[in-house]
Amino acid sequence: MLSGLTQEMSVEYATVLMTSVIGTYTLIGGLGATFYVSFFNTALICALMLVFVVRVYDDPGDVNNPLGTRERYAWML
């Protein structure tokens, strides 16, 4: 199949050309996917940290929580 697509090219040149095209496509696509996944993971971690902080510092329904209200937190500081 390679010889039929590249009749006027040498086999070595066609192999290097195909390898470079596939490698470049993978590199660009791989880097893009890495950036998207990194952004999603960072957004997920920030959201979970925000939920955790709100749950720990502002939970007025739990009477055993020493940091249940803003007034108690200010008094402890």
Side-chain angles (χ1 to χ4, degrees):
M1 183 173 170
L2 179 63
S3 300
L5 293 175
T6 58
Q7 289 179 357
E8 301 296 322
M9 255 189 262
S10 67
V11 175
E12 292 86 10
Y13 182 70
T15 304
V16 169
L17 184 64
M18 282 182 52
T19 304
S20 62
V21 167
I22 292 171
T24 303
Y25 178 77
T26 304
L27 178 69
I28 292 171
L31 283 177
T34 301
F35 293 140
Y36 290 132
V37 169
S38 178
F39 176 77
F40 176 73
N41 286 338
T42 302
L44 184 66
I45 289 170
C46 288
L48 289 175
M49 286 178 60
L50 182 64
V51 167
F52 177 73
V53 166
V54 168
R55 180 84 174 134
V56 168
Y57 286 114
D58 193 27
D59 189 13
D62 187 9
V63 293
N64 296 326
N65 188 0
L67 304 173
T69 62
R70 287 183 218 101
E71 290 81 20
R72 272 201 240 166
Y73 183 68
W75 179 80
M76 291 179 87
L77 278 177

